[in-house]
């Protein structure tokens, strides 16, 4: 009989050294790898237009389609506090750009994401962490080690049986995840705006204004089933809130109810597939260029 400590040692080696690589083949690069690469490219590449937002813009906007040299610095679950500190980080790196595409959706103000703080906190100013309650050791360990991934031993089987399209982050920052279309998946959201996210939304507009950066606040096309989560009154109030910030250098481009999109354009309830992302990026590019050219 094999001693328990040997079994434990073997399991630890598998989960810490081999399992992450196997998971990457099945689920794509780790969050840590994606974020480190994203920040590295945001600092080293040259661009005149920056894209910031959550997974909607991360997957939905292809900088290669845009006429202006661009980089997609978005990430899954990013809310406005994280977006603000990304801008502050770029400012410390002396990065200069003329335009910002700021992703927005009806639920992005309603929560404050902390699942990536073990990666963001060392990169951002100390003030960033002050917006979050102090976590205990076990919570920090859970975040840092991605211990939940250790439960995915089923991937050991899937690696040799499934043939999936590659999941990866492009050099332009766009995240490509060709998931299967999930037609019936439920999706619940809140349109409520937290004061802390409203504060950081305003700070984003202010920091860009001081640096003479033009902002295009953009909402990707939204599936009709998702729109049913909100009342007409709530949607009108939300759009009025965003529109109140519009001026000669801030534009609101809302594609949420644009006709011509159907369920097959999405990989799930909210994310455009690769083909649809290119289509949306082309429309967005044409609109942005038209606005810029009309000002010249």
């Amino acid at each position: 009989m094999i001693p328990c400590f040997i079994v434990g040692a073997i399991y630890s080696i598998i989960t810490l050294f081999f399992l992450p690589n196997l998971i990457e083949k099945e689920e794509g690069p780790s969050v840590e790898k994606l974020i480190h690469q994203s920040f590295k490219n945001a600092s080293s590449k040259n661009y005149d237009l920056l894209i910031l937002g959550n997974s909607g813009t991360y997957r939905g906007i292809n900088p290669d389609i845009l006429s202006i040299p661009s980089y997609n610095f978005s990430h899954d679950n990013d809310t406005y506090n994280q977006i603000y500190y990304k801008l502050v980080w770029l400012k410390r790196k002396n990065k200069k750009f003329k335009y910002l595409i700021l992703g927005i959706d009806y639920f992005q103000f309603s929560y404050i994401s902390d699942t990536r703080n073990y990666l963001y906190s060392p990169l951002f100013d100390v003030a960033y962490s002050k917006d979050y309650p102090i976590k205990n050791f076990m919570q920090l360990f859970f975040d840092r080690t991605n211990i939940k991934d250790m439960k995915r031993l089923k991937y050991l089987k899937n690696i040799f049986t499934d043939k999936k399209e590659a999941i990866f982050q492009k050099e332009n920052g766009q995240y490509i995840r060709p998931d299967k279309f999930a037609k019936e998946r439920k999706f619940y959201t809140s349109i409520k705006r937290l004061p802390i996210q409203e504060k950081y939304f305003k700070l984003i507009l202010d920091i860009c204004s001081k640096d003479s950066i033009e902002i295009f606040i953009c909402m990707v096309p939204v599936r009709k089933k998702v729109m049913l989560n909100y009342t007409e009154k709530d949607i009108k109030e939300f759009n009025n809130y965003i529109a109140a910030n519009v001026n000669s250098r801030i534009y609101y481009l809302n594609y949420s109810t644009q006709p011509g999109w159907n369920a097959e354009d999405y990989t799930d309830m909210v994310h455009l597939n690769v083909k649809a992302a290119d289509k949306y990026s082309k429309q967005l590019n044409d609109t942005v260029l038209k606005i810029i050219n009309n000002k010249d």
Side-chain angles (χ1 to χ4, degrees):
M1 185 173 179
I2 302 176
C4 291
F5 77 90
I6 295 180
V7 174
I10 293 173
Y11 178 75
S12 297
I13 291 172
I14 291 174
T15 55
L16 292 175
F17 297 101
F18 295 105
L19 188 57
N21 291 330
L22 293 174
I23 289 174
E24 182 169 336
K25 291 181 180 179
E26 178 72 12
E27 281 289 291
S30 67
V31 172
E32 184 172 7
K33 188 173 182 178
L34 290 171
I35 288 180
H36 285 167
Q37 186 63 38
S38 179
F39 275 77
K40 179 182 178 182
N41 287 342
S43 176
S44 63
K45 290 185 177 296
N46 295 318
Y47 45 86
D48 292 323
L49 185 153
L50 183 70
I51 302 162
L52 284 169
N54 61 13
S55 59
T57 53
Y58 191 30
R59 308 182 195 192
I61 300 180
N62 180 1
D64 292 338
I65 302 293
L66 306 182
S67 300
I68 301 170
S70 307
Y71 182 71
N72 194 331
F73 198 22
S74 307
H75 192 76
D76 289 351
N77 291 331
D78 273 4
T79 44
Y80 295 107
N81 60 315
Q82 289 150 339
I83 291 171
Y84 169 74
Y85 283 106
K86 280 187 174 182
L87 287 170
V88 172
W89 183 85
L90 288 170
K91 199 174 180 69
R92 289 206 317 264
K93 297 291 182 179
N94 294 315
K95 293 300 294 184
K96 306 289 184 181
F97 52 94
K98 299 177 181 178
Y99 310 102
L100 172 68
I101 288 180
L102 179 62
I104 197 168
D105 55 42
Y106 291 117
F107 60 85
Q108 198 170 356
F109 284 89
S110 68
Y111 65 100
I112 181 165
S113 175
D114 66 352
T115 56
R116 289 156 178 77
N117 281 358
Y118 68 99
L119 296 169
Y120 281 153
S121 294
L123 293 165
F124 293 157
D125 287 358
V126 175
Y128 171 76
S129 298
K130 294 181 180 179
D131 289 327
Y132 294 89
I134 298 175
K135 288 189 172 185
N136 62 40
F137 174 79
M138 288 307 296
Q139 288 174 310
L140 291 171
F141 178 77
F142 184 88
D143 287 346
R144 184 64 185 88
T145 60
N146 286 324
I147 197 169
K148 58 184 178 295
D149 288 340
M150 298 178 186
K151 300 177 181 178
R152 301 179 182 178
L153 293 176
K154 62 180 181 179
Y155 292 153
L156 294 173
K157 173 177 68 69
N158 293 344
I159 295 301
F160 303 103
T161 58
D162 291 355
K163 290 185 178 180
K164 296 177 65 175
E165 294 183 69
I167 300 171
F168 61 98
Q169 186 180 68
K170 296 168 70 174
E171 283 295 310
N172 64 22
Q174 184 188 19
Y175 184 53
I176 303 298
R177 188 182 181 95
D179 295 328
K180 294 180 180 178
F181 173 59
K183 186 176 182 180
E184 300 302 326
R185 177 184 168 191
K186 292 182 179 179
F187 186 78
Y188 299 102
T189 61
S190 171
I191 201 168
K192 180 181 178 180
R193 296 192 303 274
L194 297 180
I196 189 171
Q197 296 300 0
E198 289 186 330
K199 179 188 79 171
Y200 278 107
F201 181 72
K202 294 284 189 182
L203 286 172
I204 291 167
L205 303 186
D206 289 344
I207 195 173
C208 289
S209 175
K210 291 176 182 177
D211 290 339
S212 299
I213 298 169
E214 293 192 48
I215 304 175
F216 300 88
I217 303 172
C218 300
M219 189 181 300
V220 302
V222 179
R223 286 186 62 179
K224 292 180 180 179
K225 282 190 175 182
V226 174
M227 292 297 292
L228 292 175
N229 285 280
Y230 319 115
T231 66
E232 290 186 11
K233 179 181 178 181
D234 286 340
I235 292 173
K236 182 178 180 180
E237 193 278 332
F238 181 94
N239 287 323
N240 287 340
Y241 169 78
I242 302 300
N245 296 283
V246 170
N247 57 40
S248 61
R249 300 185 67 84
I250 301 176
Y251 311 90
Y252 184 25
L253 309 178
N254 188 344
Y255 293 84
S256 62
T257 57
Q258 184 190 47
W261 302 89
N262 54 56
E264 284 68 32
D265 290 314
Y266 298 81
T267 60
D268 52 28
M269 291 300 292
V270 294
H271 301 115
L272 295 171
N273 60 36
V274 176
K275 183 178 179 181
D278 286 353
K279 174 184 173 183
Y280 169 65
S281 300
K282 176 65 168 62
Q283 292 184 359
L284 184 58
N285 179 69
D286 293 346
T287 301
V288 168
L289 282 183
K290 185 176 181 180
I291 291 171
I292 292 173
N293 291 334
N294 284 344
K295 293 187 68 175
D296 293 341

